[in-house]
Amino acid sequence: MMWYVIRRFALAIPTLIGVAIITFFLLRVLPGDIVEIKLRGDGGDVSEAALAAERARLGLDQPLLVQFADWMTGLATFDLGTSLWTGERVAHEIAIRLPLSLEVAILSTILAILIAFPLGTLAAVFRGTIIDYVVRIITIGGLAVPPFWLGMLMIVGLITWFDWLPALGFVPLFTDPVKNLSQLIWPALSVGYRYSSVVARMLRSTILEVLEEDYIRTARAKGVTERMVVAKHAMRNALLPAITVLGLEFAFLIGGLVVTEQVFSLNGIGLLFVESVLHNDFTMIQGLVMVVATGFVLINLMVDVLYALLDPRIRYE
Amino acid sequence: MNIAAHPKPDLALKPILQIEDLCVEFRTTRGLVRAVQNVSYEVHPGEMVAIVGESGSGKSVSALAIMGLLPPKTTRIPKGRVMFDGEDLLTRSKTQMQRIRGRHIGMIFQEPMTSLNPVLTIGDQLCEPLRIHLGMDKEAQHARAVELLGLVGISDAARRLTQYPHEFSGGMRQRVMIAIGLACNPKLLIADEPTTALDVTIQAQILELMKKLSRELGIAMIVITHNLGVVARYADRVNVMYAAQIAEKAEALPLFCAPLHPYTAGLLRAVPRLDQGREARLATIDGLPPDLMNPPTGCRFADRCPARIDACAKMPELREINPGHLSACHRAEEMNGPLRDGLYPLYKAQAAEAEAEGRVEGKNALEVDGLTMNFHVKIGRNPLSRKKAVVKAVDDVSFSIEAGRTLGLVGESGCGKTTVGRSILRLLKPTAGAVNFEGQNIARLPESDLTSMRKNMQVIFQDPFASLNPRMTVGQIIAEPMMVRKLVPDTMAARRRVGELLGDVGLPLYMSERYPHQLSGGQRQRVGIARALAMEPSTIICDEPVSALDVSVQAQIINLLEELQERLGITYLFIAHDLAVVRHISHRVGVMYLGRMMEIAESEALFADPLHPYTQALMDAAPIPDVELERHRAPRALKGEIPSPLDPPPGCVFSTRCPLATEECRQTVPQLREVRPGHRVACLKIEETAP
């Protein structure tokens, strides 16, 4: 078990290095020049010399490989560099916005699990009945409706029927939990809906599959009640694929957040992402991608560990 | 322990289970299937009752109906009673049945590998019925669980309880299943094909164990099986099922000695027997069982019955012909007389003496010399260690096959027999050794030069379901290799050839338009044979070609293979685990164990006088479908399990289970040596055991 976790952990490092390389070079291929945007963006007439000076100040005149080496050295010491646009520390810019996005992400994951597990299980146990059909309609909706549109519907609905709009300014969770949650529950729900639909559908089909297994028949032959057959014998086996999906879908969750934060005017890393891309702020984008990628890798590491805890066969591999 | 020593169960006691007129129907998308019709039988305490039948005969369904384990949505039980201990189980509610299942009736299933929950410990699964039915506390559960594992012969019980199913071998898992079945001291144990997935030496261990426990604990037992040998060795009474109905029921002895239903008689003649050699062609029951969606109104066996008369258009009743011996046949009385022996004549294969045409004395079609196949597997959990273990799947195996003859290769799972076949076909590249075929050492040929070998050496696989492409018609499947190798000039010629080949394997021409899923298992295997024949090979490697088939169909395929050999002079390497099948089809037989050849000899010599202790144990373990013979055999069940090929014993690989093993055997690897003319054995003790 120990070795298993260590091995998974060790595998995460080359993954992140790969992400760093690809992000860095892919960004350089994109058209657009931050110095041009910064100095000539308003249509002002700026001399070539001034542009060159600005490039030199930002270090953009260095050969690509030197820039890359500098950035990688920084990464190794957890230094993400400074923003090309604002000149602020990238780490700082991200750090002040991360709590909000992280909270929405965690909240929507929790919501997704809370919705998906009962729905998926019910649909499987009552397969072919009205319950199953209702769950299938709900989950199809989750796949079909884009999160940002759902977010807009929520805002419209809240205003028209309740004459109430979630607060715009972010209040940290521990300062005023009620206010914080009443603000963030809506974006979390709009992103979590899709998330929960994917997981619920996965869970439904794996439970159905597991219920056909020989060992379920054995459990029934032992006189185990149908409830315990599902809860004890089928669930643990059915959870494995559902958890995998939970980890993989986390990437879509981030993607959904980028747009949803715009809809709810939340100043999180999603908003920062969009702005940095508009400005061609390479260092900021790189920093953001690294943070998100690390989060993704960590989530999937957790999934792997959870997997090993649930399935003894993996522990002994 | 000799089973004959056990006292007979007292039939005067009230039966513990009485099934009366049971009918079961399934609703399917294609229509209503009447899976069980008017079935009645009873089971007395301490008695072992066998339900025998081929797949789809309804034998398992009737047992699942007792347990109330049939899928509730699609099943209907329109008629019948299942009286257990004075109450009708069919009228019990779901919760009442939950209290009976696992408490008063236990059940053991066919697939030990998948019947235990992989994510729960053995202890968890064993203690579950103790907790839910007997309300034992943790300590009492543990004590009882340890006791149960001891009862089923698993040592080191306390530690084993904390392990998971994947740490147990198949035989050990089946022991655990038996322990779970016995946990609450049930009155009835139902075993559905309990040993079908197990090796023959392990099968003997498990059956001996079940018989012993049933006698000692007074548990009534229902054994559902297709294996007539198992029935002959262990059952007190037998019910033969055919197409959802009971065809014949009797005590084991009269049923085997004097069957009163033509189906039973045919089955008994269709099984290859360990005590019968090549000279006898197997009797076959032609055709297939009827479709239960639309069964004939008369006798369901009439279509396939050699004793059919006009009266058979009317459904026969199950009648008592001799005391305690019932048969559902209009001519059952006549079956008491000469009719029985005339039905399925055991005729001698015509060409048996003449030998196959292609045979040229002394000319070998295939010579295998020192064949070795090593696999490298990573061991240990440390990801940085590069420690690899070498598994010698095949270790220094040599044999040759004369042209036009059959060499049978027999052994239990993991003995390397399939790897031998694959190495010869060059699906695997042998680590060492030579395979001489048509004047070339094909073990060393480069991949590009294998074309001509691949044309002349074909293969037939075990699983007729998986080895045919489901999206191609039978005609396309058979024509494909001919087209690829350009053996035929055009599609018209290919179609003609497909027709010929279908005729060769006994399939009607219209089959060429069908898809594999529309065929039965036996028909699919015939297609596999036709595909192999399309290349006009000189040699065919048959890898367990009949082990997935029902007895009556198995006999058809074996006969077909023999007939093709006589007609076309084809050489066979016949790989199988079933000794009787191998004996029946082979001229020469090799016995493998843990990657090594233990004994090789002419079939007659080997079976008449097996010299190697392992061969002897194998033959002892394999039951013969003959009650009288079985009652007088004292089975010497081989102890222990096959060692892991990762860590084979030094010296003789069989030394860990061998009754004759001495210190010398544990250190010296015995070489295969010629003990008698043409009879080679790898055993150090052989002079002492030879008569």
Side-chain angles (χ1 to χ4, degrees):
Chain A
M1 185 67 193
M2 216 30 218
W3 274 118
Y4 176 81
V5 175
I6 290 172
R7 193 168 61 199
R8 291 286 139 158
F9 216 85
L11 277 175
I13 293 168
T15 311
L16 287 175
I17 293 177
V19 170
I21 295 173
I22 292 172
T23 317
F24 184 89
F25 289 103
L26 224 50
L27 280 176
R28 311 294 137 158
V29 178
L30 288 180
D33 175 0
I34 180 156
V35 178
E36 292 256 351
I37 299 173
K38 207 171 174 182
L39 300 185
R40 283 179 172 165
D42 305 325
D45 184 21
V46 182
S47 68
E48 282 298 323
L51 288 179
E54 180 67 8
R55 280 203 186 94
R57 193 179 68 79
L58 295 174
L60 293 175
D61 56 343
Q62 301 280 332
L64 214 52
L65 284 178
V66 176
Q67 289 183 38
F68 179 66
D70 279 351
W71 184 56
M72 287 300 273
T73 335
L75 274 189
T77 57
F78 298 102
D79 177 7
L80 296 174
T82 51
S83 162
L84 297 178
W85 185 259
T86 61
E88 292 277 345
R89 310 287 308 163
V90 168
H92 175 71
E93 292 276 329
I94 295 176
I96 53 172
R97 293 176 175 86
L98 193 60
L100 181 132
S101 298
L102 204 59
E103 198 191 326
V104 177
I106 293 173
L107 214 54
S108 54
T109 309
I110 293 173
L111 279 175
I113 293 173
L114 286 182
I115 299 171
F117 279 47
L119 281 193
T121 315
L122 282 175
V125 172
F126 296 100
R127 172 198 198 170
T129 65
I130 183 82
I131 298 176
D132 188 16
Y133 292 125
V134 169
V135 170
R136 268 150 82 174
I137 290 168
I138 294 175
T139 53
I140 285 275
L143 296 184
V145 176
F148 71 88
W149 189 67
L150 185 67
M152 291 203 257
L153 282 187
M154 280 178 182
I155 293 179
V156 172
L158 286 174
I159 292 176
T160 23
W161 289 313
F162 297 96
D163 199 16
W164 178 75
L165 187 69
L168 292 174
F170 173 59
V171 190
L173 180 66
F174 296 105
T175 319
D176 186 349
V178 178
K179 198 165 173 205
N180 169 284
L181 286 179
S182 72
Q183 178 193 15
L184 295 188
I185 196 85
W186 307 106
L189 199 61
S190 74
V191 189
Y193 180 31
R194 180 204 141 81
Y195 204 12
S196 71
S197 300
V198 176
V199 177
R201 290 173 71 85
M202 188 72 192
L203 199 62
R204 174 185 178 272
S205 65
T206 48
I207 290 180
L208 284 179
E209 215 170 280
V210 169
L211 283 177
E212 295 292 313
E213 295 281 350
D214 289 345
Y215 53 80
I216 295 297
R217 192 181 53 188
T218 306
R220 290 190 177 130
K222 281 196 273 190
V224 178
T225 58
E226 201 55 26
R227 227 174 85 188
M228 285 307 284
V229 166
V230 175
K232 184 175 170 189
H233 290 269
M235 244 342 194
R236 243 178 100 174
N237 286 287
L239 276 182
L240 299 172
I243 288 173
T244 310
V245 171
L246 210 59
L248 292 177
E249 277 290 310
F250 193 75
F252 286 92
L253 181 74
I254 303 291
L257 267 186
V258 169
V259 191
T260 309
E261 281 182 6
Q262 306 274 321
V263 173
F264 287 90
S265 308
L266 295 174
N267 189 10
I269 58 167
L271 204 64
L272 188 60
F273 231 128
V274 176
E275 281 171 3
S276 320
V277 171
L278 289 176
H279 296 149
N280 266 10
D281 188 349
F282 291 159
T283 43
M284 185 60 83
I285 302 173
Q286 283 161 203
L288 283 165
V289 170
M290 288 316 291
V291 167
V292 170
T294 311
F296 185 67
V297 167
L298 281 179
I299 288 279
N300 281 287
L301 193 71
M302 273 164 61
V303 166
D304 283 344
V305 173
L306 215 54
Y307 227 97
L309 283 177
L310 285 171
D311 191 343
R313 284 167 297 186
I314 292 182
R315 273 177 250 165
Y316 293 87
E317 233 174 39
Chain B
M1 175 173 332
N2 191 341
I3 45 161
H6 286 289
K8 272 230 144 188
D10 184 4
L11 293 190
L13 282 175
K14 252 186 69 163
I16 181 81
L17 178 83
Q18 221 169 342
I19 297 182
E20 294 164 15
D21 243 1
L22 182 70
C23 293
V24 180
E25 298 173 351
F26 291 120
R27 261 184 294 127
T28 70
T29 44
R30 285 170 53 227
L32 196 68
V33 176
R34 294 189 175 82
V36 172
Q37 267 201 305
N38 302 66
V39 163
S40 308
Y41 57 86
E42 63 265 8
V43 187
H44 293 86
E47 160 183 68
M48 198 184 240
V49 172
I51 315 287
V52 189
E54 297 182 90
S55 45
S57 62
K59 57 189 193 301
S60 295
V61 175
S62 68
L64 288 170
I66 301 172
M67 292 290 275
L69 281 178
L70 292 166
K73 276 181 201 149
T74 49
T75 317
R76 215 168 69 87
I77 301 182
K79 210 170 88 175
R81 294 204 299 171
V82 177
M83 300 302 292
F84 175 75
D85 223 9
E87 54 179 344
D88 183 2
L89 294 185
L90 295 181
T91 63
R92 299 290 114 179
S93 72
K94 246 172 77 178
T95 18
Q96 283 171 323
M97 278 311 288
Q98 276 162 3
R99 281 200 285 271
I100 290 170
R101 284 203 293 266
R103 173 68 188 91
H104 300 297
I105 308 178
M107 188 155 181
I108 301 163
F109 298 99
Q110 172 171 3
E111 280 295 337
M113 301 312 276
T114 54
S115 289
L116 290 166
N117 193 330
V119 302
L120 299 177
T121 62
I122 296 299
D124 261 348
Q125 303 188 51
L126 187 49
C127 291
E128 200 169 20
L130 300 172
R131 194 183 64 243
I132 53 185
H133 294 302
L134 306 178
M136 285 187 179
D137 60 31
K138 280 251 177 299
E139 267 168 51
Q141 285 174 29
H142 186 263
R144 173 74 176 146
V146 169
E147 182 194 342
L148 281 166
L149 284 194
L151 199 63
V152 297
I154 297 179
S155 53
D156 197 8
R159 190 178 60 86
R160 293 297 242 169
L161 283 175
T162 63
Q163 293 186 319
Y164 289 92
H166 68 269
E167 295 166 82
F168 284 65
S169 69
M172 282 295 165
R173 288 188 210 189
Q174 201 60 309
R175 285 170 191 266
V176 172
M177 284 298 291
I178 295 175
I180 291 175
L182 292 174
C184 301
N185 281 325
K187 295 174 187 146
L188 175 68
L189 198 58
I190 304 174
D192 187 357
E193 301 271 11
T195 57
T196 306
L198 301 175
D199 278 319
V200 59
T201 57
I202 307 296
Q203 161 175 303
Q205 290 174 0
I206 297 287
L207 288 169
E208 285 297 318
L209 173 71
M210 286 173 53
K211 183 87 181 182
K212 183 175 128 241
L213 292 173
S214 130
R215 287 279 195 264
E216 282 174 4
L217 307 174
I219 299 172
M221 203 168 297
I222 300 177
V223 176
I224 297 159
T225 182
H226 68 280
N227 187 330
L228 290 166
V230 168
V231 178
R233 185 177 284 183
Y234 298 102
D236 298 308
R237 282 186 307 119
V238 187
N239 296 284
V240 180
M241 283 189 75
Y242 183 78
Q245 296 171 326
I246 289 192
E248 182 166 3
K249 63 185 339 181
E251 290 203 11
L253 191 64
L255 186 104
F256 277 86
C257 299
L260 293 181
H261 195 288
Y263 174 64
T264 318
L267 269 190
L268 288 171
R269 289 281 169 87
V271 198
R273 289 174 53 148
L274 203 51
D275 54 346
Q276 279 170 4
R278 240 187 99 77
E279 65 282 357
R281 187 61 61 85
L282 295 172
T284 55
I285 305 173
D286 295 328
L288 295 169
D291 184 0
L292 291 180
M293 207 96 67
N294 198 2
T297 49
C299 172
R300 296 197 168 171
F301 186 61
D303 269 355
R304 306 173 73 188
C305 185
R308 181 178 51 240
I309 51 172
D310 290 344
C312 298
K314 229 182 90 229
M315 178 83 80
E317 291 284 316
L318 190 64
R319 302 170 293 138
E320 187 155 1
I321 309 298
N322 301 334
H325 194 154
L326 287 72
S327 166
C329 175
H330 293 300
R331 302 181 74 185
E333 284 84 1
E334 292 174 69
M335 285 293 287
N336 255 335
L339 176 64
R340 178 169 54 228
D341 296 321
L343 275 184
Y344 303 95
L346 274 180
Y347 60 91
K348 293 212 170 224
Q350 301 149 350
E353 293 89 36
E355 281 296 346
E357 264 178 50
R359 185 178 178 199
V360 183
E361 194 70 46
K363 182 178 171 285
N364 286 333
L366 184 72
E367 285 170 359
V368 174
D369 188 22
L371 185 71
T372 300
M373 185 72 225
N374 293 342
F375 294 114
H376 297 267
V377 291
K378 204 169 159 308
I379 51 167
R381 290 177 222 163
N382 183 341
L384 303 174
S385 101
R386 298 206 173 273
K387 236 190 278 170
K388 290 229 171 146
V390 175
V391 176
K392 291 184 171 173
V394 176
D395 190 6
D396 193 17
V397 164
S398 306
F399 58 83
S400 56
I401 315 177
E402 270 180 63
R405 302 229 304 168
T406 303
L407 177 85
L409 212 49
V410 69
E412 297 177 280
S413 51
C415 75
K417 57 189 191 297
T418 293
T419 310
V420 168
R422 290 172 162 255
S423 310
I424 292 173
L425 284 160
R426 273 297 295 276
L427 298 173
L428 296 167
K429 193 164 175 16
T431 312
V435 177
N436 292 313
F437 180 66
E438 300 185 327
Q440 279 181 307
N441 178 5
I442 54 175
R444 288 282 156 261
L445 278 184
E447 200 67 39
S448 53
D449 293 350
L450 289 171
T451 327
S452 104
M453 174 286 258
R454 292 246 156 95
K455 179 192 165 300
N456 289 327
M457 192 191 291
Q458 285 290 307
V459 62
I460 302 167
F461 294 105
Q462 166 174 13
D463 193 341
F465 294 77
S467 52
L468 301 178
N469 186 338
R471 308 220 188 291
M472 286 166 81
T473 63
V474 166
Q476 288 167 337
I477 288 169
I478 299 174
E480 191 188 28
M482 295 190 275
M483 303 297 279
V484 172
R485 291 287 152 86
K486 306 207 166 41
L487 291 183
V488 282
D490 53 44
T491 33
M492 273 312 290
R495 205 169 295 167
R496 263 200 308 278
R497 181 85 180 105
V498 167
E500 282 170 33
L501 288 164
L502 283 175
D504 279 347
V505 297
L507 287 176
L509 189 59
Y510 63 79
M511 284 289 180
S512 70
E513 300 302 319
R514 299 267 172 101
Y515 286 91
H517 72 267
Q518 296 168 303
L519 309 182
S520 71
Q523 288 171 335
R524 285 195 191 108
Q525 199 55 291
R526 285 174 193 268
V527 172
I529 295 172
R531 177 174 58 180
L533 288 178
M535 306 299 288
E536 298 174 20
S538 65
T539 302
I540 298 183
I541 314 276
C542 310
D543 191 356
E544 299 268 15
V546 296
S547 56
L549 305 174
D550 272 322
V551 174
S552 67
V553 181
Q554 176 178 315
Q556 295 170 4
I557 299 293
I558 292 174
N559 283 353
L560 173 66
L561 286 172
E562 288 183 347
E563 185 195 304
L564 289 169
Q565 180 170 56
E566 278 154 24
R567 208 147 51 81
L568 306 170
I570 301 171
T571 311
Y572 292 132
L573 174 63
F574 192 94
I575 299 164
H577 70 279
D578 187 328
L579 281 171
V581 169
V582 167
R583 157 149 216 200
H584 190 87
I585 201 167
S586 310
H587 297 93
R588 202 171 161 76
V589 175
V591 180
M592 286 185 72
Y593 184 79
L594 218 60
R596 299 191 67 98
M597 188 71 89
M598 304 311 267
E599 180 165 8
I600 183 165
E602 290 298 303
S603 182
E604 289 313 308
L606 186 90
F607 284 92
D609 187 14
L611 296 177
H612 199 285
Y614 176 62
T615 315
Q616 291 169 355
L618 263 187
M619 287 187 196
D620 270 351
I624 299 171
D626 186 320
V627 179
E628 269 185 297
L629 246 158
E630 278 299 336
R631 296 275 146 102
H632 294 106
R633 277 187 352 149
R636 290 162 284 178
L638 203 53
K639 293 206 173 49
E641 308 218 347
I642 304 177
S644 160
L646 267 173
D647 185 24
C652 175
V653 283
F654 187 57
S655 60
T656 52
R657 301 170 81 192
C658 183
L660 303 177
T662 59
E663 203 43 50
E664 192 192 2
C665 297
R666 291 183 192 102
Q667 280 160 15
T668 324
V669 178
Q671 294 303 314
L672 205 59
R673 49 206 173 88
E674 189 149 1
V675 175
R676 292 178 195 163
H679 196 146
R680 291 148 62 83
V681 187
C683 179
L684 297 172
K685 299 283 152 199
I686 206 62
E687 258 78 29
E688 291 154 48
T689 59

